[in-house]
Amino acid sequence: MGGSSRIVEVEGLRLAYGIKEVLHGISFAIDRNEIFAVIGPAQSGKTSLLRCLNRTTDFIPSATVSGSIRVDGDDIRRVKDVFGLRRRVGMVAPLPVGLPMSIYDNVAFAPRCSGMTAKRELDDIVERCLTQAALWDEVKDRLSSLGTALSGGQQQRLTIARALSHQPEILCLDEFSIAIDPVTTMRIEDVLKGLRREITIILVTNLVQQARRLADRTMFLWNGEIVELGPSEIVFSDHPADRRTYDYVNGIFG
Amino acid sequence: MSAVPLTPGGAAAERRPTRSTLSLLGERVIEALIKLSGVSAVIFVVAIFFFIFREAAPVLWSKDFHILEFLFSTEWYPTSVSNVRYGTLALTVGTLSVTAVAIVLAVPFGLGAAIFVSEFCSPKLKETLKIVIELLAAIPSVVWGFVGLTVMSKIIVTLTGTAVGVNLLNGGVILALMSVPIIVSIGEDALRAVPDSYREAAVALGATRWQTVYRVLLPAAKNGLLAAVLLGVGRAVGETMAVLMATGHAVHIPDGLLNSVRTLTANVAAELGEAPAGSSHYRVLFLTGVLLFWITMVVNVAADLVVRGIRRK
Ligand SMILES: Nc1ncnc2c1ncn2[C@@H]1O[C@H](COP(=O)(O)OP(=O)(O)OP(=O)(O)O)[C@@H](O)[C@H]1O
Ligand SMILES: [Mg+2]
């Protein structure tokens, strides 16, 4: 624990797939316990940015990363235990990926990978995380049925529960609501608001309204560069710092 | 009122492409052909069984043949002048034991190699390995028989100090070497078919590579991996030439890995040429074929039930 108010510090981050650079040296910082939204048109590099944060870029042979990313003061290029890093940074992918196992096993997956075996503890984690993801009531009677047999929206909440199961300090949500109906989306948004007392949330979203509702600060990423970063009230106001932000938020381009 | 008429014969309807009767007919024909090829597979199996059985059947009623002796006696003296006996138990046990040795060696080795090729090695090494494995799968069985007869038997003699190197162990090893390439290439296909999103999800949850393999990939690919094992084992059960050369060909229930054995298939291959067509010996050999047919069928059905059981779980 650095004790500083900055939980993520990114400096001069460049990411290229082969010769194609998609992040052109961006710098920003994220405060502890804030909800930080990243908005931007398709292809602007939002998902790629998240991949850098938990170092899943390691699995893309063509990806080269430069610049520095600090999580809690630790340079993630240098962390010894990259698996531990990935547990500190929870990730929810845009399309739900129910692993081919039971609902219970899906949520217990990460704790088991880090060596937890006690049934009681696992039971507690499963119940807590499913409740936090607003899914417990719907599945509590069939925890042993296949996770892939749930509806799309339920699977997405399952992936949220799964991401919470290893008690991350940072939770990254990549367009989590594209498979969820509006009512459930609102329920999860409430959950996120409650969670921020404990963790930091990075919310990548295409729904401008969602960012406006939830985020303390919003970053507008465009073609791999930061156009604007500031408090949501300003970014979504009639007079953001950059004209392009206003155009994007109001649907004039992109 | 708009000037455009909404009748079916209007301009819009003319522009809409309709399928010609010819293409509809073509579709019917293709459908029928596909159905035919599906049905023909069944017809071929039944026909093969029928013709083998027809050659074998007359012996069932002959006086020097008893079905119980055929199944449960170890005495195989088909050319004895005074007392012919057709007992195939030793041969059945020979087939089963060679197959068992091959499975024990080939399954862990083959699945391990499949996992390595698909998950752990670099793309370049992967390409090379796949070419080598396909090459291995294409080696004719008689060549494997040579390897058993010369190389493997020498190795076994030096390592164990036994007198004869052609035996149950040798046959099992050779069969294992023959089935491994099949298990690897089909198993690798099965693992590759697991969507990358599963790997990403597991890794993002902090799983190590090995945890990803055994907690996510193996369960996800289990049907394909079982198919790989079954096809590999299938090759072992039916293999003839290589085991004929590598097992030593002695009719005898083995009591150790270093005993010589004879398999049902090798026995047919070795004796059919000398048995006069239509003689009892000739017909019993065909009956051996029927027995082999049943053994394969039982193995397949059992495996299918196992697969279904696992799938339901
Ligand atoms: N694995 C990869 N290999 C090569 N190029 C990639 C890879 N992943 C993404 N890209 C490229 O990087 C660029 C940015 O993609 P990214 O997925 O980060 O965009 P995004 O902002 O998340 O878009 P969306 O809103 O559509 O999800 C795109 O041009 C994409 O084609
Ligand atoms: Mg994206």
Side-chain angles (χ1 to χ4, degrees), chain B residues 13-21 23:
Chain B
E14 263 161 40
R15 257 184 278 116
R16 191 186 313 131
T18 50
R19 298 222 217 154
S20 67
T21 23
S23 84

Side-chain angles (χ1 to χ4, degrees), chain B residues 147-281:
Chain B
V147 173
L149 209 53
T150 56
V151 185
M152 193 55 69
S153 82
K154 271 197 205 104
I155 295 177
I156 289 176
V157 168
T158 355
L159 285 185
T160 65
T162 171
V164 207
V166 282
N167 50 28
L168 171 55
L169 179 63
N170 192 333
V173 171
I174 292 296
L175 283 189
L177 286 172
M178 294 175 73
S179 1
V180 160
I182 297 176
I183 298 181
V184 177
S185 61
I186 298 175
E188 200 261 338
D189 283 346
L191 285 169
R192 191 156 33 110
V194 176
D196 272 340
S197 57
Y198 287 2
R199 292 183 182 83
E200 276 164 30
V203 159
L205 287 167
T208 63
R209 263 178 158 184
W210 177 234
Q211 284 171 332
T212 310
V213 167
Y214 81 83
R215 285 182 190 272
V216 178
L217 299 182
L218 292 187
K222 66 190 169 206
N223 288 337
L225 293 175
L226 266 163
V229 168
L230 285 184
L231 285 171
V233 171
R235 179 161 198 199
V237 178
E239 178 48 44
T240 306
M241 220 46 225
V243 284
L244 177 63
M245 295 162 83
T247 54
H249 211 53
V251 186
H252 165 65
I253 290 193
D255 42 42
L257 280 176
L258 298 175
N259 279 184
S260 283
V261 292
R262 186 188 290 194
T263 64
L264 289 165
T265 49
N267 186 54
V268 175
E271 293 188 356
L272 194 60
E274 288 150 29
S279 68
S280 290
H281 184 192

Side-chain angles (χ1 to χ4, degrees), chain A residues 43 45-48 94 174-175 204:
Chain A
Q43 314 284 298
K46 307 181 296 292
T47 303
S48 305
D174 192 356
E175 295 174 30
V204 167

